[in-house]
Amino acid sequence: MMDLHCHVDLYPDYNRILEDIKSTGFYVLSVTTVPSAFEGTCNLTRNIKHCRTALGLHPQLAHQRINELPLFDKLIPETRYIGEIGLDGSRGYKDHFNDQLFVFNHILKKCESYGNKILTIHSLNAVDEVLNCLGTHPKAGTAILHWFLATKKQVEKAIELGCYFSIGPAMLSSNRAKKVISWLPKNRVLLETDGPFAKLEGNIVYPSNVISVLTYLSDIWNIPYDEVRSVMKLNLVKLLK
Ligand code: MN
């Protein structure tokens, strides 16, 4: 299985997260929030074969770390994976929306000169704006909308744009998120945790916890658990091709 959005470097207990990744054998995308964290985060999982590190600049930090964009540009040839990036229109971050747009558009434009990047994208309270930016950079790569909360119309637009959707165990405790999950086509669904930010009944989520999503999907799609596993594997293979 997989966890395509995991903040490995931000877990309070490195031994436990690294042990979880090793023992599950899951494909894990270790995302970062600032370019200056990229190399240290790569080193954390350097000896784990099925783990990749993404280069990111989180929208909630864009205004504070816009000066790290040159470092982002310098590091971008080192990885195929980009994230966490995106936009956040929530209170407290909306004030810095221009900086966020500058950073996000800059990164998408950079990605266009590669053509094969895989991007994990934050779109909290900024779905239309994120979809607009993706629409104006159609060659930026394959976008995975993480923890996507949107209307049915927005989901349809994202599907048209070729986006994937990564869903995690913590989403299953929200009716709004479950509604969104019900609109997703099987061939665009991937798995994530967003640990250690995401929690289940107060406990930090680990990659091994994505299994609960498979059970949930088996139920709502009305197909056997093993078939859900096959669909997920196939989606991951297609994504990484
Ligand atoms: Mn995240």
Side-chain angles (χ1 to χ4, degrees):
M1 250 341 92
M2 74 194 89
D3 176 357
L4 294 183
H5 191 106
C6 183
H7 295 268
V8 175
D9 63 332
L10 301 179
Y11 276 79
D13 182 346
Y14 283 164
N15 287 331
R16 185 157 171 214
I17 178 63
L18 295 175
E19 196 42 49
D20 192 274
I21 297 172
K22 282 183 211 158
S23 65
T24 55
F26 290 174
Y27 182 93
V28 171
L29 188 58
S30 165
V31 297
T32 57
T33 55
V34 289
S36 51
F38 179 73
E39 294 206 303
T41 307
C42 281
N43 287 333
L44 279 178
T45 59
R46 195 170 290 289
N47 59 350
I48 308 179
K49 266 207 316 262
H50 45 87
C51 190
R52 297 287 180 276
T53 306
L55 172 66
L57 210 173
H58 197 289
Q60 294 176 348
L61 299 171
H63 62 291
Q64 291 167 348
R65 303 299 187 100
I66 199 162
N67 61 320
E68 290 194 31
L69 266 186
L71 179 59
F72 190 101
D73 295 349
K74 189 179 152 221
L75 293 170
I76 195 171
E78 291 186 25
T79 179
R80 185 183 176 196
Y81 308 92
I82 305 298
E84 181 165 358
I85 58 167
L87 299 172
D88 191 316
S90 313
R91 196 152 28 129
Y93 301 110
K94 211 187 174 128
D95 301 345
H96 307 292
F97 212 71
N98 283 340
D99 283 343
Q100 292 185 36
L101 279 169
F102 183 85
V103 167
F104 188 43
N105 282 315
H106 174 95
I107 292 171
L108 292 175
K109 190 154 187 277
K110 275 280 158 196
C111 289
E112 284 192 309
S113 51
Y114 295 88
N116 71 337
K117 299 290 191 197
I118 292 170
L119 307 89
T120 174
I121 297 178
H122 175 111
S123 55
L124 189 63
N125 295 314
V127 170
D128 284 332
E129 294 87 343
V130 162
L131 297 179
N132 276 340
C133 292
L134 292 175
T136 54
H137 299 89
K139 296 202 164 74
T142 307
I144 307 167
L145 298 167
H146 114 86
W147 204 319
F148 194 58
L149 295 176
T151 64
K152 190 155 196 240
K153 236 194 173 101
Q154 289 167 329
V155 167
E156 283 162 2
K157 171 97 189 289
I159 293 165
E160 245 172 69
L161 288 167
C163 298
Y164 283 78
F165 306 86
S166 58
I167 64 184
M171 288 177 77
L172 305 181
S173 41
S174 143
N175 286 328
R176 185 173 167 216
K178 286 200 275 193
K179 193 107 206 155
V180 174
I181 294 170
S182 76
W183 297 326
L184 304 178
K186 292 186 187 66
N187 64 352
R188 297 289 183 89
V189 175
L190 299 163
L191 308 175
E192 68 165 47
T193 56
D194 202 19
F197 297 116
K199 300 208 168 62
L200 275 180
E201 289 162 0
N203 300 310
I204 289 177
V205 177
Y206 285 82
S208 53
N209 295 122
V210 298
I211 294 303
S212 65
V213 180
L214 299 177
T215 313
Y216 179 77
L217 292 175
S218 164
D219 189 36
I220 64 161
W221 289 347
N222 202 19
I223 60 174
Y225 180 86
D226 285 340
E227 207 175 316
V228 179
R229 281 181 59 94
S230 308
V231 170
M232 289 304 122
K233 272 191 202 162
L234 187 64
N235 290 350
L236 182 62
V237 168
K238 266 190 313 174
L239 174 81
L240 300 179
K241 202 170 61 186

